[in-house]
Amino acid sequence: MTEVRFTHIGGPTVLIEFEGWRLLTDPTFDPPGRTYAFGWGTSSRKLTGPAVAAAGLGAIDAVLLTHVHHGDNLDDAGRALLPAAGTVVTTRSGAPSLPVPARGLRAGQATRLEAPGRPPIDVLATPCRHGPPLSRPIVGEVIGFALTWPGQAHGPLWITGDTVYHRALRRTAAGIRPGTVLLHLGGVGFPLTGPLRYTMTARQAVRLCEAIAPRTVLPVHYEGWQHFRQGRDGIERELRRAPERVGGLFRWLPAGTAEQVRL
């Protein structure tokens, strides 16, 4: 069994620490107030800053970057810290655009992180659909990450990435059988596209959890930006309607404070 520390920095940005490893997901460290263009007439304003400043992070062994082309997953300050990271893992299409060499993966491909005196980590890229059917040419390539290392007692750690609930996601998750899920929520939407959603809602999350029965779910990517349509209050309302076995899986990470989870 591995004791893993999760520090939620804001949005999708989480510091993951265990057995000497320090991993960072989707680095976003810009101050609040700026509006970011997401393409095709969509944009969003950042409402809150990071709970931990980039300068206070310390050494980072690897950055797990679900996609490179949206400011709520990689902003200017996040991009600036990439050269100091040991390894960057991201999408195959996004890797060439980064300021450092990166390992580019498509869904279904894997790589391994290794360092002396630490357990090796196998990183499997998982599928994401960052919007409605047939939206990939518009929203671009996005992946999640399933992390496996020796000593896990309850299955892999799965970082879903920005995705809605869809068949390939459910099928992949059922094959992985994750013990802990870092779940991107928020029900992202834009005035231009009306009711369409570009990340999971709580209702979709309940369906996913009913299908795969993880041990722990850690919600992220639901606050701090104008384009989130479902914050913590809305998620909790939906969870109260869910079967108790599902609602009880969710555990909220305090901003800026390390929380320990057994994997």
Side-chain angles (χ1 to χ4, degrees):
M1 185 177 296
T2 307
E3 299 283 352
V4 182
R5 299 201 319 163
F6 295 89
T7 304
H8 190 195
I9 295 169
T13 310
V14 180
L15 178 63
I16 303 169
E17 301 173 274
F18 65 94
E19 297 192 33
W21 286 104
R22 304 184 85 246
L23 314 177
L24 186 68
T25 67
D26 287 351
T28 54
F29 291 91
D30 283 357
R34 176 178 164 187
T35 296
Y36 297 74
F38 293 146
W40 296 85
T42 62
S43 65
S44 181
R45 184 161 56 92
K46 188 172 186 179
L47 304 177
T48 60
V52 178
L57 273 181
I60 298 298
D61 298 303
V63 171
L64 303 175
L65 179 54
T66 64
H67 56 304
V68 307
H69 50 282
H70 291 156
D72 62 327
N73 295 83
L74 179 68
D75 58 19
D76 290 346
R79 188 177 291 265
L81 68 76
L82 295 181
T87 303
V88 178
V89 185
T90 190
T91 60
R92 177 66 66 89
S93 60
S97 71
L98 297 178
V100 295
R103 303 186 193 182
L105 302 177
R106 292 193 179 97
Q109 296 180 326
T111 189
R112 175 171 281 196
L113 303 177
E114 295 181 291
R118 304 176 195 170
I121 306 172
D122 290 317
V123 181
L124 172 69
T126 61
C128 292
R129 199 184 80 204
H130 196 1
L134 306 179
S135 62
R136 180 173 167 176
I138 297 173
V139 301
E141 184 183 16
V142 184
I143 55 174
F145 301 101
L147 277 53
T148 306
W149 61 85
Q152 289 175 322
H154 303 293
L157 166 62
W158 181 31
I159 302 158
T160 66
D162 286 8
T163 183
V164 296
Y165 181 83
H166 63 289
R167 185 179 302 172
L169 183 80
R170 183 188 62 203
R171 184 170 58 246
T172 299
I176 294 169
R177 300 186 65 185
T180 298
V181 181
L182 209 59
L183 183 61
H184 289 215
L185 291 171
V188 164
F190 302 96
L192 183 68
T193 53
L196 298 179
R197 292 294 174 259
Y198 296 85
T199 60
M200 263 190 275
T201 64
R203 183 169 298 181
Q204 290 180 330
V206 168
R207 289 180 64 193
L208 178 65
C209 292
E210 286 181 316
I212 66 173
R215 186 171 183 265
T216 305
V217 178
L218 307 174
V220 296
H221 194 268
Y222 60 85
E223 40 64 51
W225 286 80
Q226 193 177 40
H227 63 318
F228 291 133
R229 294 293 181 260
Q230 189 177 52
R232 178 168 173 172
D233 288 348
I235 295 167
E236 289 183 324
R237 279 196 299 272
E238 191 65 42
L239 293 178
R240 285 194 289 270
R241 302 187 189 103
E244 185 176 348
R245 68 181 184 279
V246 173
L249 302 174
F250 283 70
R251 180 171 168 180
W252 299 93
L253 295 171
T257 302
E259 189 82 355
Q260 195 158 276
V261 178
R262 291 182 177 182
L263 271 68

